[in-house]
Amino acid sequence: MQPLEYRVPLAGSERAPVPGFRAVGPAGTSEIVDVTVVLRPRPGDEGPESLDEMANLPPGERHYLSREQYAAAHSADATDIDKLSQFAARYGLKVTGVNAPAHIVYLRGTVAAVSKAFGVALLIYRGTGKHSGQSYRGRTGPVYIPVELDGIVKAVMGLDNRPQARPFLRHQRHFGGTWTPAGAVSYTPGDVARHYNFPSGASGAGQCIGIIGLQDGCFPADLEVYFERLGVPVPRITTVRVRNAQNSRALAPAAPHGELVAAIQVAGAVAPGAHIVLYIAPPTAAGFFRAVVRAVHDRVNQPSVISISWGAAEAAWTPQSMHAFDHLFRAACAMGITVCCATGDRGSSDGIPGRLAHATFPASSPHVLACGGTILSLSGDETAWNDGPGGGAGGGGVSDFFPRPSWQRSAQVPPSANPGRHIGRGLPDVAANAGPMTGYKLLVSGLDTVVGGTSVVSPLWSGLIALLNQRLSISMGFFNPLLYERLVGVPGALRDITSGDNDLTGLVGAYRAGPGWDACTGWGTPDGTLIAGAFD
């Protein structure tokens, strides 16, 4: 075994225990652990060189790489893969797979072996109080790697199996024992699409929408009944299971699996001709990452749009993980894939105790379309979604991790509300109806229910992108520069939301909606037909 003094900590890999959990003892030494190791880009290749140039071009003039072309141009260096494989062999770890286009080597070994290989102590943590009955395998401090891998290894995920992400779905609250409280109203996804003037004459045919589901599932019977009610065909649905993730079918409509049902029913209702592919994985950092890898580099199904309705505050992620995801989203942009991400349902604090604002990741990545929430009234007026502490609010704010991208400089994104007034990537970019009190009529586990949350905004916008791709016979791809540099100048294409806020905790200097871009609703809600016309 290589002496500890020849090791270095992996930058950005530090972990702390989850609040409310305490260590109760070491993990079983014979337990099998799957590890995802992310390698650097090929030396001299920091990624798709033409991406920044391409961002300034209209979709019809962009040259996207096929997945095969991307693999040929940007796969990991074979020498780096060999060095990592030799390291694994020294410690008795098995290489179970290599995804060179994604710069990933998959390893497997016992707790004892991976602990020695990466210089960590793996412990069992059990929850206390409201977390009672929950547990995870975790570590504290950094991961250590041999000095010869310093600069080659960029991230190590899978040692820690704490739940990393949560869904952003909200069910209409009970008032007096009913699902239809006074003042509430609900819509089918088609109602919402018509309100936002989605382009007619397109069904999403020829497009593939990838939906990321973390330890989730659905009843096929729900989908058949639901789409029959809507009078639209059941979309073609394919399931890809990552790391043997199971189809979890709890019986209550508020169970986590309602998240995936909602995404399918919303995307399928507005783009019924699209092929929907579900990438299902555990809700750990490694599981989440592997699901997105499968979607982005899927040469069989080839999604042109990916919808992600899961996430967590940036403070809950390691920097190594956020960098690895962002590189993956950058690759998606180069291949003409639009990635839509929900911004969360716990307002500008993202549920983190205290008086600081927290942006939600992966929505804070500058290479995804961050989708926030509004409340849509019967009159058609909209405000930023905020139902108070018990009901949730749309996420948004300013990233503490990602700098402000070039295409956002003219948007007048304010400094962060936090001390230091950091200048960073602002989110959301766009919004749509998300308030559960003005929510979407769906069918979950055989029960009619009404849901909201930015979880439904991401598949709604994904469906719109699929319609645009079909109608225009192009791929919208990296949508953000188009949004900020072209669409904001088209009268009516984006409906500005100017009232409301997303503050649930009384934050100092928190964010309010207002004219132009704001950190509650971005540029606002879409007029799909006018957006399509801007690219005709």
Side-chain angles (χ1 to χ4, degrees):
M1 186 178 78
Q2 196 161 8
L4 187 60
E5 58 265 25
Y6 290 105
R7 292 173 172 271
V8 293
L10 177 59
S13 64
E14 294 80 6
R15 275 288 202 188
V18 177
F21 286 75
R22 60 184 180 86
V24 296
T29 56
S30 61
E31 179 186 348
I32 299 299
V33 179
D34 287 300
V35 181
T36 300
V37 180
V38 183
L39 304 179
R40 65 182 175 181
R42 184 183 301 168
D45 172 18
E46 289 305 312
E49 298 159 356
S50 61
L51 186 57
D52 293 334
E53 264 179 43
M54 180 183 70
N56 297 320
L57 298 175
E61 296 178 22
R62 292 177 172 181
H63 174 67
Y64 296 119
L65 300 177
S66 68
R67 285 168 169 85
E68 292 77 13
Q69 289 171 330
Y70 185 91
H74 301 294
S75 286
D77 186 83
T79 302
D80 289 349
I81 295 173
D82 186 57
K83 287 181 179 179
L84 194 281
S85 300
Q86 292 177 29
F87 156 76
R90 289 202 305 270
Y91 288 92
L93 304 181
K94 180 181 179 181
V95 175
T96 59
V98 175
N99 187 327
H103 308 146
I104 293 171
V105 177
Y106 298 113
L107 306 178
R108 177 174 294 162
T110 63
V111 162
V114 299
S115 296
K116 290 180 180 178
F118 294 104
V120 297
L122 297 180
L123 305 176
I124 299 299
Y125 290 81
R126 287 191 184 146
T128 60
K130 67 179 182 180
H131 303 293
S132 182
Q134 303 175 44
S135 64
Y136 70 91
R137 182 189 68 241
R139 61 178 178 84
T140 59
V143 168
Y144 289 89
I145 56 174
V147 68
E148 69 265 22
L149 294 178
D150 187 25
I152 294 176
V153 171
K154 291 299 185 181
V156 175
M157 291 181 274
L159 299 171
D160 187 305
N161 69 355
R162 72 185 70 189
Q164 179 62 51
R166 62 182 295 271
F168 301 133
L169 194 70
R170 291 273 176 158
H171 288 255
Q172 199 173 88
R173 290 182 291 168
H174 287 279
F175 285 80
T178 175
W179 284 101
T180 54
V185 64
S186 56
Y187 309 95
T188 67
D191 293 334
V192 177
R194 283 186 287 275
H195 174 76
Y196 292 137
N197 199 23
F198 278 22
S200 59
S203 67
Q207 302 300 310
C208 177
I209 300 174
I211 295 175
I212 304 299
L214 303 184
Q215 234 171 28
D216 216 343
C218 62
F219 286 116
D222 282 350
L223 303 179
E224 294 172 8
V225 172
Y226 184 74
F227 287 110
E228 182 179 2
R229 286 181 183 176
L230 295 183
V232 299
V234 179
R236 177 187 169 201
I237 299 172
T238 299
T239 299
V240 175
R241 300 199 182 282
V242 180
R243 297 185 65 193
N244 299 314
Q246 297 302 305
N247 188 341
S248 172
R249 297 177 175 178
L251 296 178
H257 79 281
E259 161 63 44
L260 190 57
V261 173
I264 297 169
Q265 292 180 358
V266 171
V270 301
H275 176 200
I276 294 177
V277 180
L278 315 176
Y279 298 89
I280 301 178
T284 62
F288 195 169
F289 184 71
R290 291 177 71 157
V292 179
V293 168
R294 289 289 294 272
V296 170
H297 291 281
D298 187 345
R299 298 190 191 185
V300 176
N301 299 298
Q302 301 188 47
S304 55
V305 191
I306 297 172
S307 177
I308 301 175
S309 295
W310 296 73
E314 289 179 334
W317 293 83
T318 59
Q320 62 158 6
S321 294
M322 288 192 283
H323 279 305
F325 271 89
D326 185 56
H327 187 83
L328 190 54
F329 296 140
R330 184 176 172 86
C333 292
M335 291 183 273
I337 305 165
T338 306
V339 181
C340 300
C341 289
T343 60
D345 60 358
R346 295 189 287 187
S348 53
S349 71
D350 201 11
I352 302 294
R355 293 177 61 79
L356 295 179
H358 293 272
T360 300
F361 182 81
S364 64
S365 162
H367 296 104
V368 307
L369 183 69
C371 302
T374 67
I375 296 174
L376 176 63
S377 73
L378 285 171
S379 66
D381 294 332
E382 286 185 84
T383 62
W385 169 38
N386 189 336
D387 285 334
V398 177
S399 171
D400 285 328
F401 186 78
F402 294 101
R404 185 177 60 192
S406 60
W407 41 262
Q408 210 170 40
R409 286 175 186 160
S410 61
Q412 298 184 333
V413 176
S416 168
N418 293 331
R421 309 288 286 168
H422 174 71
I423 304 296
R425 189 270 204 260
L427 63 154
D429 301 304
V430 293
N433 181 45
M437 301 297 286
T438 61
Y440 298 67
K441 299 175 182 177
L442 303 179
L443 183 66
V444 181
S445 297
L447 300 175
D448 291 311
T449 188
V450 176
V451 304
T454 57
S455 272
V456 289
V457 181
S458 178
L460 185 79
W461 267 92
S462 295
L464 173 57
I465 298 293
L467 298 181
L468 296 173
N469 287 350
Q470 180 201 358
R471 173 167 165 163
L472 301 172
S473 299
I474 55 177
S475 178
M476 302 304 292
F478 190 13
F479 194 73
N480 292 7
L482 302 175
L483 170 70
Y484 283 79
E485 298 177 3
R486 176 178 291 253
L487 289 181
V488 295
V490 178
L494 298 159
R495 302 168 178 178
D496 198 7
I497 310 301
T498 59
S499 61
D501 63 65
N502 61 1
D503 178 20
L504 292 175
T505 58
L507 298 175
V508 177
Y511 309 105
R512 297 193 60 83
W517 185 93
D518 60 67
C520 300
T521 61
W523 287 110
T525 58
D527 183 307
T529 297
L530 290 180
I531 290 175
F535 300 108
D536 278 337

